């Protein structure tokens, strides 16, 4: 019997703990981490593949360290990726903590008006930040689609190499803004470099890595939208909890006053009778 009571108590404790988990925030956090990991990991490797393609097939040479060329920009993008990965890892943890906090405030109300007010302010602050980050990820998604479009054109030419064999088409880096107009770095369809590039693994792998990075950025946007819905709902619930706590305090105060009045009148009648 004692063992059954202990097991029943553990079961109720587990159910209570599971009931306090903010599942909506948990799903959004998993989606955010998956999207950011996909974007950062695939984006980093795709940039490294781009450097290899530019050096091996287009013969683009890295300039001096103080010059701002395409390789310097790629290095800057890599450092930005490192910062994005670290920043959103911390931000996901903060949003999960906020979800646990507001879920506890909603379910238990804590009996303290100050705590629900704090939860309301925190939710409003995170709503503003998440909206800004959603717009930022929309911009990142649009920016990531540019290399996907460029590599898609090159990949399509390689897939249809027999059809463009007599067309003598050329890939000029100046039309993509990668080099200055004074330089001329191009590869034509009839050259050996173009054939080697199409047969190499770098082109196909880099193209698909950029596609995965684009999918990761899109997943991060969906996670931000999911977070906005969750945070807006939490803010509304905490606001209602705050009003309910006010109502309970006023009601309890009025009941106490009525009880004191009845007690005073009862004492007066008893004294008058005696």
């Amino acid at each position: 019997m004692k063992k059954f009571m202990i097991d029943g108590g553990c079961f109720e404790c587990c159910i209570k703990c599971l009931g306090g988990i903010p599942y909506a925030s948990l799903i959004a956090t998993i989606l955010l981490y998956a999207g950011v990991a996909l974007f950062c990991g695939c984006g980093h490797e795709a940039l490294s593949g781009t450097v290899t393609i530019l050096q091996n097939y287009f013969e683009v040479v890295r300039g001096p360290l103080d010059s701002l060329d395409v390789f310097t920009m790629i290095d800057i993008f890599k450092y930005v990726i490192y910062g994005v990965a670290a920043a959103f890892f911390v931000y996901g943890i903060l949003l999960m903590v906020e979800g646990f906090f507001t879920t506890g405030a909603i379910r238990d109300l804590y009996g303290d008006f100050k705590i629900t007010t704090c939860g309301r302010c925190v939710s409003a602050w995170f709503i503003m930040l998440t909206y800004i980050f959603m717009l930022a990820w929309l911009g990142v998604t649009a920016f990531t689609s540019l290399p996907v479009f460029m590599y898609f054109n090159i990949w399509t030419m390689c897939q249809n190499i027999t059809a463009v064999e007599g067309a003598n088409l050329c890939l000029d880096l100046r039309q993509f803004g990668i080099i200055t107009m004074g330089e001329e770095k191009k590869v034509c369809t009839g050259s050996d470099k173009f054939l080697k590039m199409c047969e190499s693994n770098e082109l196909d792998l880099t193209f698909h890595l950029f596609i995965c990075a684009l999918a990761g950025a899109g997943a991060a946007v969906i996670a931000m939208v999911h977070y906005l819905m969750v945070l807006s709902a939490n803010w509304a619930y905490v606001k209602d909890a705050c009003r309910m706590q006010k109502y309970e305090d006023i009601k309890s105060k009025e009941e106490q006053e009525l009880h004191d009045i009845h007690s005073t009148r009862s004492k007066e009648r008893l004294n008058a009778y005696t």
Side-chain angles (χ1 to χ4, degrees), residues 106-120:
I106 293 166
R107 293 183 182 274
D108 300 331
L109 301 183
Y110 286 109
D112 190 350
F113 171 70
K114 293 181 180 179
I115 293 180
T116 53
T117 302
C118 180
R120 182 179 169 187

Side-chain angles (χ1 to χ4, degrees), residues 150-165 167-171 175-176 187-190 194 197-198 203:
M150 290 188 294
Y151 274 101
F152 176 75
N153 291 332
I154 301 174
W155 184 78
T156 303
M157 290 177 63
C158 290
Q159 296 298 314
N160 299 281
I161 192 170
T162 55
V164 299
E165 186 175 357
N168 195 23
L169 301 176
C170 294
L171 296 171
Q175 65 185 358
F176 299 115
V187 175
C188 297
T189 55
F194 181 80
M197 182 180 63
C198 292
L203 179 63

